[in-house]
Amino acid sequence: MAQFKHLNELNTFLTMDGENAKGPVPRWQRKLNLSGASTSFNSSALANTSARQTLSVSMTGNANNTLQLSTTVNSLKTPRKNGGKGTASSASKKFSQTPSKGPTASSNTNGNAQNQPGGGDRFIPSRTATDFDLGHYIVKQGTASNEEGEGGGNLENEEGAAGGGSTSNIPVSPKQSERMKSLSEAMRGCDISKQRLLAFRTKVPAPPEGHVNPLKAIYSVKTPMSAKSGSRYIPNAPERILDAPEIMNDYYLNLMDWSTDNVIAVALGASVYLWNAATGTIEMLFENEGNDHACSLSWIHEGHILAVGTSAGTVELWDCENMKRLRVMNGHSARVGVLAWNSYVLCSGSRDGTIVNHDVRTRQHNIGVLQGHTQEVCGLKWSPDGKYLASGGNDNLVHVWSAAHGAPHATGEPLHVFNQHQAAIRALAWCPWQPNVLASGGGTADRTIKFWNVANGQLMNSVDTKSQVCGLLFSKTYKELISAHGYVNNQLSIWKYPSMMKQVDLMGHTGRVLQIAMSPDGSTVMSAGADETLRLWNCFAPDPLLAKKEKSAVREKPSLLKQSLR
């Protein structure tokens, strides 16, 4: 029997198909058991999420040195590597999540919710915008106040008991602290309590009281491209300077005029000179004998006839091509200081206060006398359509005369009398694109440019130029106005019309500007100054791009042959 038992055990060991019940548990079976256990644990944990509590052992230092069991809330996260230290700290500390870019609520160390500022989770101060001295002062003041509030009394008691005499912790009275605060605010120029320690960005300084931003309309209103392109270029220096020796420095005289043939006539002393602007040639027209001299010059609108008003009260007509005097016309008892042409009628204003209409075609040239001014007439201009004659005098009055029944001369009583100037009116100009608008400029006591509507006699606008107005001209190319001035700056000013916003001041004359005249094409202005110089300003040159567009916009009319073709 013993041998059979031995054979059975030997067969058992040698058999490979059977199950080894005495050996260790296979690895696959061990893993299967572990996965089943974890599944059952997770399901039970999910079912009881409200009461996930485990037992943990903590040592408490009581008198009996006994172990006490306490239940603590543990998360299902993997524990930290620092073991019990991390477990103990996790019980008393909660970690906040990283805030998002938007305004989200996050927890601080005390568990209170606070709003994070928008724009990110970091605050990067600007060093250029931060006042470090002021920040250091504010931090120091805050630290001192905290120390006084918390332990100031104890320090005083200790020092008093020890007999110390230190003055660093002596309390400051409220009156003294208020005085120190006011002094610091005066030095800093701001309220310290409202200043930040760190500045995020540099703030724009506040404008002064009553400040109006002129660019607000430009950037707030959608303007066309022509307005956005800015103002045009105006040369500040004269294009040419000519000498004008012995020119008379008299406010009431008009000693220069520019013809449609591009010839400038200038009265210098007792002589009258002609300067051809195209060729640059200079000729002397005539020279007076004795004390007589020319007081006013005016070219006829079409032709080479020059009218000359003399100091003797006569009006002369000169043929400048043949250098010959054509006729002499009487009618005044004093000097003739201003002339104005309207077709074949020449109007002359004199110191005797009268205006005489001369018909240069007839032998009896005097066809009417206008009496309205009580002192010297120093300004005279016809409107572009020939319907109105404006006159200005030393009596501070502007008269507007209407043409007589379509004739090129004025008769009767003045249509309007404007008496709002406070000085003599010499500068007169009619608007070329608004025939009813008249501009007038006053002398030293007035210094204003006024705009009148002669259709209804109303004052449209008045602009204080702060200097004597000696001449006015409207531009033919732009909607602008140029004015000549005397004391103080002796400048020429270009204004936008009708806004009357000053474009530029043309400086250069050392004496007052006596008169201005415009070239036939309207691009150049010549100014005659009391400093005995004539200056040419190319201030109204047309824009080449605009001229090119206008030229391309004009289309040629098709021929009859092209119109007949279909």
Side-chain angles (χ1 to χ4, degrees):
M1 293 296 294
Q3 60 179 354
F4 291 114
K5 187 177 181 180
H6 176 70
L7 289 174
N8 289 332
E9 291 178 358
L10 184 60
N11 291 331
T12 302
F13 286 121
L14 294 177
T15 302
M16 303 297 295
D17 297 333
E19 181 179 356
N20 188 7
K22 296 182 179 181
V25 180
R27 188 166 177 251
W28 61 270
Q29 191 172 4
R30 189 167 61 250
K31 290 182 67 177
L32 183 60
N33 295 335
L34 287 174
S35 62
S38 62
T39 303
S40 60
F41 174 76
N42 289 336
S43 60
S44 61
L46 290 173
N48 301 315
T49 53
S50 60
R52 289 182 296 180
Q53 295 181 353
T54 58
L55 293 177
S56 62
V57 180
S58 62
M59 296 292 297
T60 58
N62 53 7
N64 298 328
N65 293 329
T66 60
L67 290 176
Q68 294 182 356
L69 297 177
S70 63
T71 60
T72 60
V73 179
N74 290 332
S75 64
L76 294 178
K77 295 181 180 179
T78 305
R80 296 182 179 272
K81 292 183 179 181
N82 51 7
K85 190 181 291 186
T87 305
S89 62
S90 63
S92 61
K93 187 176 181 181
K94 294 182 179 180
F95 296 96
S96 61
Q97 296 180 354
T98 303
S100 61
K101 291 185 178 181
T104 58
S106 60
S107 302
N108 55 11
T109 55
N110 298 326
N112 300 326
Q114 62 180 359
N115 292 330
Q116 292 286 346
D121 56 350
R122 291 205 304 161
F123 177 81
I124 303 176
S126 174
R127 296 183 65 86
T128 57
T130 302
D131 191 348
F132 289 98
D133 295 336
L134 180 60
H136 177 70
Y137 174 76
I138 295 174
V139 171
K140 201 171 180 182
Q141 289 293 105
T143 305
S145 61
N146 292 336
E147 289 179 355
E148 290 178 4
E150 293 177 1
N154 296 334
L155 289 173
E156 280 187 1
N157 295 335
E158 292 175 4
E159 289 178 358
S166 175
T167 60
S168 59
N169 293 321
I170 295 176
V172 182
S173 62
K175 186 176 181 181
Q176 189 175 359
S177 63
E178 188 69 24
R179 183 183 178 187
M180 292 175 62
K181 182 180 178 182
S182 61
L183 286 175
S184 60
E185 288 179 359
M187 292 178 61
R188 296 290 177 180
C190 59
D191 189 2
I192 296 179
S193 60
K194 297 181 180 180
Q195 294 296 317
R196 293 184 177 183
L197 298 181
L198 299 176
F200 182 68
R201 62 173 66 90
T202 306
K203 292 185 178 180
V204 180
E209 295 183 1
H211 173 73
V212 178
N213 187 6
L215 301 179
K216 185 177 181 180
I218 296 178
Y219 291 101
S220 60
V221 181
K222 188 176 181 182
T223 55
M225 291 301 295
S226 59
K228 291 181 180 179
S229 60
S231 59
R232 62 187 183 86
Y233 171 71
I234 302 175
N236 292 323
E239 187 179 7
R240 194 168 182 179
I241 302 177
L242 305 175
D243 291 328
E246 298 181 6
I247 190 170
M248 297 186 66
N249 185 7
D250 195 330
Y251 178 78
Y252 301 97
L253 303 184
N254 296 270
L255 304 175
M256 181 182 64
D257 197 21
W258 203 328
S259 73
T260 55
D261 295 333
N262 208 12
V263 178
I264 299 174
V266 184
L268 303 177
S271 305
V272 175
Y273 291 89
L274 303 177
W275 180 69
N276 193 323
T279 61
T281 58
I282 300 175
E283 294 179 307
M284 187 177 69
L285 182 61
F286 67 90
E287 185 178 2
N288 290 305
E289 297 179 356
N291 294 327
D292 293 341
H293 58 86
C295 297
S296 57
L297 303 174
S298 181
W299 289 96
I300 195 170
H301 294 318
E302 295 180 358
H304 50 272
I305 304 300
L306 178 67
V308 182
T310 65
S311 58
T314 61
V315 178
E316 301 178 356
L317 298 181
W318 285 81
D319 183 359
C320 294
E321 277 192 352
N322 301 318
M323 298 292 179
K324 185 175 68 173
R325 188 172 65 181
L326 299 178
R327 66 183 301 181
V328 179
M329 297 179 293
N330 299 318
H332 294 287
S333 60
R335 69 179 185 182
V336 179
V338 62
L339 298 168
W341 284 92
N342 186 21
S343 185
Y344 53 84
V345 174
L346 175 64
C347 297
S348 59
S350 173
R351 179 178 272 182
D352 58 11
T354 62
I355 302 171
V356 177
N357 296 316
H358 306 273
D359 189 347
V360 300
R361 306 172 302 169
T362 62
R363 183 178 181 86
Q364 299 297 329
H365 57 85
N366 192 337
I367 59 176
V369 179
L370 305 178
Q371 296 181 348
H373 293 279
T374 58
Q375 296 187 35
E376 182 174 7
V377 180
C378 50
L380 209 59
K381 281 290 175 65
W382 278 96
S383 62
D385 55 5
K387 293 182 179 179
Y388 304 102
L389 173 66
S391 61
N394 196 30
D395 53 0
N396 307 344
L397 298 178
V398 177
H399 289 193
V400 178
W401 314 79
S402 60
H405 305 292
H409 62 88
T411 58
E413 297 295 324
L415 181 64
H416 300 291
V417 178
F418 303 131
N419 58 359
Q420 299 192 26
H421 281 287
Q422 305 299 322
I425 300 101
R426 177 199 172 189
L428 295 171
W430 291 90
C431 183
W433 57 88
Q434 289 179 324
N436 294 331
V437 175
L438 172 67
S440 60
T444 307
D446 184 77
R447 304 177 300 179
T448 62
I449 300 175
K450 298 184 185 297
F451 297 90
W452 313 90
N453 186 351
V454 298
N456 53 19
Q458 297 296 322
L459 176 63
M460 300 170 58
N461 191 11
S462 180
V463 180
D464 186 8
T465 63
K466 298 181 174 55
S467 58
Q468 180 188 36
V469 183
C470 302
L472 289 173
L473 284 175
F474 277 94
S475 173
K476 300 177 183 179
T477 311
Y478 305 94
K479 289 192 175 182
E480 294 176 351
L481 176 75
I482 185 170
S483 57
H485 300 276
Y487 181 79
V488 179
N489 295 324
N490 308 317
Q491 84 281 10
L492 280 80
S493 300
I494 298 178
W495 311 78
K496 277 284 188 183
Y497 181 82
S499 64
M500 290 305 290
M501 182 180 294
K502 185 181 288 188
Q503 294 286 92
V504 68
D505 284 333
L506 304 178
M507 313 296 294
H509 283 286
T510 57
R512 67 176 174 183
V513 183
L514 298 173
Q515 192 180 354
I516 53 177
M518 186 173 289
S519 61
D521 59 356
S523 62
T524 307
V525 173
M526 173 171 275
S527 59
D531 54 0
E532 298 185 346
T533 61
L534 302 176
R535 298 172 185 260
L536 287 96
W537 310 85
N538 190 19
C539 53
F540 294 127
D543 188 0
L545 298 177
L546 184 62
K548 187 177 180 181
K549 290 181 180 179
E550 292 179 354
K551 186 176 180 180
S552 62
V554 177
R555 296 181 179 179
E556 296 182 358
K557 186 177 180 180
S559 63
L560 295 176
L561 179 61
K562 291 184 178 180
Q563 291 180 4
S564 61
L565 293 177
R566 298 291 182 184

